Amino acid sequence: LPPALDSTSEPPPIFDGTTRLYISYTCPYAQRVWITRNSKGLQDKIKLVPIDLKNRPDWYKEKVYPPNKVPSLEHNNEVKGESLDLIKYIDSHFEGPSLFPNDPAKKEFAEELFSYTDAFSKAVISA
C-alpha cells in the first residue's frame, strides 16, 4: 500500500488524466469506496492516494477537494465526493461486474439499504 501523504508531501500531478481515489486508511466511508474499486477489479485503472487526516496537506483542500474530506475521486478532470455517490459513480462509469441488480424492484431495495447503511454508520461513529 502507498504511504499516506501528509502536510510535507508534494501533490500528485492533479488533472493529468489519471483517475485517483483519495482515501484515508482509517476512514470507513473511504474504505467502502476502496472496496468498490477492488470489487470491480479497477486497481490498475483507479490509483489509490491515501491522505493522513491528522496531518493533511494544504494542497488537498486548495487544489483537489475544497470540502477537505475523504473519499474523493478525481476522474475526467473533475473531483467528486461523498462515499455513497462515489460507489454509484464507479459502478456506472467503469467496467467490471455491476454492484447493483438490474431488476427495478431489487434496485429500489438496494437504494433503500444504501440509505440505511449510511444512517447506521453515522450512528455507530457518533456512539
Side-chain angles (χ1 to χ4, degrees):
L1 295 173
L5 302 180
D6 63 17
S7 63
T8 64
S9 303
E10 291 295 317
I14 300 163
F15 302 126
D16 67 349
T18 302
T19 300
R20 293 180 180 86
L21 176 59
Y22 296 88
I23 64 155
S24 166
Y25 289 128
T26 59
C27 174
Y29 301 105
Q31 288 174 0
R32 60 188 178 190
V33 181
W34 183 11
I35 290 167
T36 299
R37 165 197 174 250
N38 294 350
S39 295
K40 290 186 69 75
L42 298 170
Q43 294 88 331
D44 293 334
K45 304 259 185 212
I46 301 176
K47 182 178 180 183
L48 203 62
V49 181
I51 300 290
D52 180 346
L53 295 181
K54 294 185 190 270
N55 186 20
R56 69 185 85 196
D58 291 336
W59 54 258
Y60 182 68
K61 180 179 182 178
E62 294 165 5
K63 297 179 180 179
V64 178
Y65 193 55
N68 203 23
K69 42 186 196 170
V70 294
S72 68
L73 181 74
E74 176 187 339
H75 182 240
N76 289 339
N77 293 320
E78 292 182 339
V79 177
K80 300 175 183 317
E82 298 301 324
S83 62
L84 295 179
D85 294 338
L86 291 177
I87 289 169
K88 293 174 190 174
Y89 182 85
I90 290 171
D91 192 47
S92 65
H93 286 81
F94 292 88
E95 73 271 357
S98 178
L99 302 176
F100 291 92
N102 289 328
D103 178 89
K106 290 180 181 179
K107 190 169 187 169
E108 183 179 333
F109 181 67
E111 293 285 343
E112 186 178 331
L113 284 177
F114 252 48
S115 64
Y116 174 75
T117 300
D118 198 35
F120 177 78
S121 295
K122 286 178 182 176
V124 168
I125 288 170
S126 68

